[in-house]
């Protein structure tokens, strides 16, 4: 079993805190991975409806997924809804907080050609997300055979920010994707940090 060490190399800016405005990139949005370790916001911050926000999770369970020659395990929030599916060419589990809509998604796929960053660029070229804006595609050392963090924003019921860690190892490709409304991105980012820090990959 290979323990996947995580090197947090990319600090994503939430909201309007970016010093440099990213250019609009035509085509599909890339998977993102962020490494901002900012702590959670106050638990009494209101939702758009005026209700308190759900707390940042501190109780996790182990999720195991197998496909395309790899088995992965990682911690996910115990109280968030987990939905497995098999879209074309993927084995997927969505783990989400439904109100507000915050998503942790794990995808397994066949390994594509080139590096993990090359795979992010291919995904980006195919994206149809509205108002997609790339923030960065950044190589990450010490994770699988090769890894990259792909970060971006897009618009759906407001602006959302994404971080997607793309990993290639053995015959498989692994993506650990986190998406949240931009104003809540930092608040729930510890969920993604916990997932990537606890990720292990076994080559079958």
């Amino acid at each position: 079993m290979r323990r996947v060490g995580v090197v947090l190399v990319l600090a994503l800016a939430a909201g309007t805190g970016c010093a440099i405005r990213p250019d609009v990139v035509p085509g599909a949005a890339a998977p993102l991975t962020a490494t901002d370790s900012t702590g959670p916001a106050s638990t009494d911050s209101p939702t758009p409806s005026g209700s308190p926000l759900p707390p940042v999770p501190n109780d996790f369970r182990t999720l195991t997924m197998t496909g395309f020659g790899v088995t992965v395990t990682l911690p996910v929030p115990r109280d968030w809804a987990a939905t497995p599916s098999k879209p074309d060419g993927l084995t997927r589990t969505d783990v989400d907080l439904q109100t507000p809509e915050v998503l942790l998604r794990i995808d397994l796929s066949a390994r594509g050609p080139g590096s993990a960053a090359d795979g992010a660029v291919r995904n980006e070229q195919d994206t149809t997300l509205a108002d997609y804006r790339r923030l960065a595609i950044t190589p990450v050392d010490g994770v699988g055979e090769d890894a990259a963090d792909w970060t971006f924003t897009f618009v759906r019921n407001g602006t959302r920010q994404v971080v997607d860690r793309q990993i290639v190892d053995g015959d498989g490709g692994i993506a650990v994707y986190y998406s949240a409304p931009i104003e809540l991105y930092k608040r729930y980012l510890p969920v993604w940090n916990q997932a990537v820090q606890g990720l292990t990959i076994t080559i079958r």
Side-chain angles (χ1 to χ4, degrees):
M1 174 181 292
R2 179 183 292 108
R3 176 76 179 182
V4 178
V6 174
V7 180
L8 296 183
V9 296
L10 178 63
L12 285 184
T16 58
C18 281
I20 299 174
R21 303 291 294 177
D23 292 331
V24 174
V25 179
L32 303 181
T33 51
T35 56
D36 191 327
S37 59
T38 302
S42 170
T43 57
D44 60 2
S45 300
T47 63
S49 66
S51 302
L53 287 166
V56 178
N58 58 17
D59 187 14
F60 290 78
R61 65 179 180 85
T62 299
L63 173 69
T64 301
M65 295 174 59
T66 298
F68 305 95
V70 299
T71 295
V72 301
T73 64
L74 70 167
V76 300
R78 185 175 299 278
D79 293 336
W80 289 19
T83 306
S85 61
K86 288 187 176 291
D88 287 347
L90 295 172
T91 295
R92 167 175 292 172
T93 300
D94 284 348
V95 184
D96 65 303
L97 176 66
Q98 296 174 350
T99 306
E101 185 186 358
V102 179
L103 173 65
L104 179 68
R105 168 175 287 170
I106 303 90
D107 280 341
L108 304 182
S109 63
R111 180 173 182 160
S115 67
D118 293 335
V121 171
R122 285 193 300 273
N123 288 340
E124 182 178 68
Q125 291 170 346
D126 291 339
T127 194
T128 57
L129 293 175
D131 295 323
Y132 167 77
R133 294 172 69 89
R134 183 203 289 190
L135 299 178
I137 296 176
T138 306
V140 179
D141 293 333
V143 180
E145 293 178 28
D146 187 54
D149 281 352
W150 173 20
T151 55
F152 61 92
T153 63
F154 69 98
V155 174
R156 191 187 71 221
N157 298 324
T159 301
R160 297 184 67 83
Q161 187 163 336
V162 177
V163 56
D164 191 352
R165 175 155 293 179
Q166 304 222 329
I167 306 163
V168 291
D169 209 354
D171 294 330
I174 301 119
V176 184
Y177 170 105
Y178 164 77
S179 171
I182 196 165
E183 67 274 12
L184 298 179
Y185 178 84
K186 284 187 177 181
R187 176 184 176 84
Y188 294 105
L189 184 61
V191 169
W192 182 83
N193 287 334
Q194 183 91 353
V196 295
Q197 289 168 11
L199 177 69
T200 63
I201 303 172
T202 302
I203 307 300
R204 295 189 291 122

